[in-house]
Amino acid sequence: MDPQIKTATGGRGMVGVLPRAGLVSRFAIANLGALAFAAAASVLAIHWAGDLARAISLPAAVIIIASIAVIPGYLNAFLLLSLLRSEEHTSE
């Protein structure tokens, strides 16, 4: 079996050769950066949670703030860092 195969876009690829170490490190860096962003957003949202807890209960305030700000911020930071660390592959 020939290790050179045609890909769907017409480029040439190697069977069984995937940059797994690079993929894992890119994922880890993006995840750690996004977690750091979420931690910073959580620290900044403490006063917001206290103000909102006066109108509703504290657990409800934390759930609302996490749903509105912290979780979407984590996802956006992860996406941004993943895209910044991605390698562009060009076809020959």
Side-chain angles (χ1 to χ4, degrees):
M1 204 159 138
D2 186 19
Q4 292 285 335
I5 61 167
K6 277 265 201 199
T7 61
T9 58
R12 306 284 297 172
M14 294 291 291
V15 174
V17 179
L18 293 175
R20 294 242 185 243
L23 181 65
V24 171
S25 66
R26 287 193 309 259
F27 174 78
I29 290 170
N31 201 13
L32 289 174
L35 284 172
F37 181 84
S42 297
V43 168
L44 292 174
I46 289 174
H47 295 295
W48 184 20
D51 291 341
L52 188 57
R54 288 188 208 121
I56 58 175
S57 67
L58 182 61
V62 170
I63 290 171
I64 289 172
I65 291 170
S67 300
I68 290 174
V70 178
I71 295 171
Y74 165 80
L75 294 173
N76 282 327
F78 183 80
L79 179 63
L80 176 68
L81 292 172
S82 295
L83 289 174
L84 289 175
R85 297 276 306 159
S86 70
E87 298 172 0
E88 187 173 323
H89 299 285
T90 58
S91 60
E92 296 177 10

